[in-house]
Amino acid sequence: MRIIKQILIYLLWYLLALFFGFLHMRIMLGPQPVYNDSYLSILNWLYEVALIVSTSIMGSTIAVLFILLDLFYLRKKLSGNPRHLIIRIAIMIAITLMVIGLHYLYNYIFDVA
């Protein structure tokens, strides 16, 4: 039962990381363009696919980094701390900002694409 509880907790952390990835990619891609022409309406679908794929990649990267850090370091350090949830959220936000920074560096500074 303890293992199932731990898996569900990490699933919630994964969903939070996906939300942070979605938030970042929504800011990066901007508002969805609206095409009224039937031939250009495929671009609406393309925008949504790009948003879903990039969100899943960004969120999965954030989640893997956070879960590994939590499994091997944070659980031991925060075992008796009453504010462990706030500290974990702050660390996830810090990891998100680092991944966003690396994304910005690779995409705009080094032009790796």
Side-chain angles (χ1 to χ4, degrees), residues 76-97:
K76 296 172 190 167
K77 290 290 184 177
L78 300 176
S79 62
N81 196 339
R83 291 183 275 171
H84 63 88
L85 185 63
I86 295 170
I87 295 171
R88 283 187 170 119
I89 290 173
I91 289 173
M92 179 173 274
I93 291 172
I95 290 172
T96 302
L97 292 176

Side-chain angles (χ1 to χ4, degrees), residues 15-87:
L15 292 175
L16 184 64
L18 280 177
F19 173 73
F20 285 149
F22 173 78
L23 189 66
H24 168 65
M25 294 314 296
R26 180 74 173 119
I27 291 170
M28 292 296 294
L29 290 175
Q32 182 177 4
V34 178
Y35 298 104
N36 294 329
D37 190 16
S38 63
Y39 295 113
L40 294 177
S41 65
I42 190 87
L43 295 177
N44 291 334
W45 179 78
L46 187 65
Y47 176 87
E48 292 172 5
V49 169
L51 184 65
I52 291 170
V53 169
S54 59
T55 295
S56 63
I57 292 171
M58 184 73 67
S60 296
T61 304
I62 295 166
V64 165
L65 291 174
F66 175 77
I67 290 171
L68 288 176
L69 182 69
D70 189 56
L71 279 174
F72 293 117
Y73 184 72
L74 290 178
R75 260 195 328 187
K76 296 172 190 167
K77 290 290 184 177
L78 300 176
S79 62
N81 196 339
R83 291 183 275 171
H84 63 88
L85 185 63
I86 295 170
I87 295 171

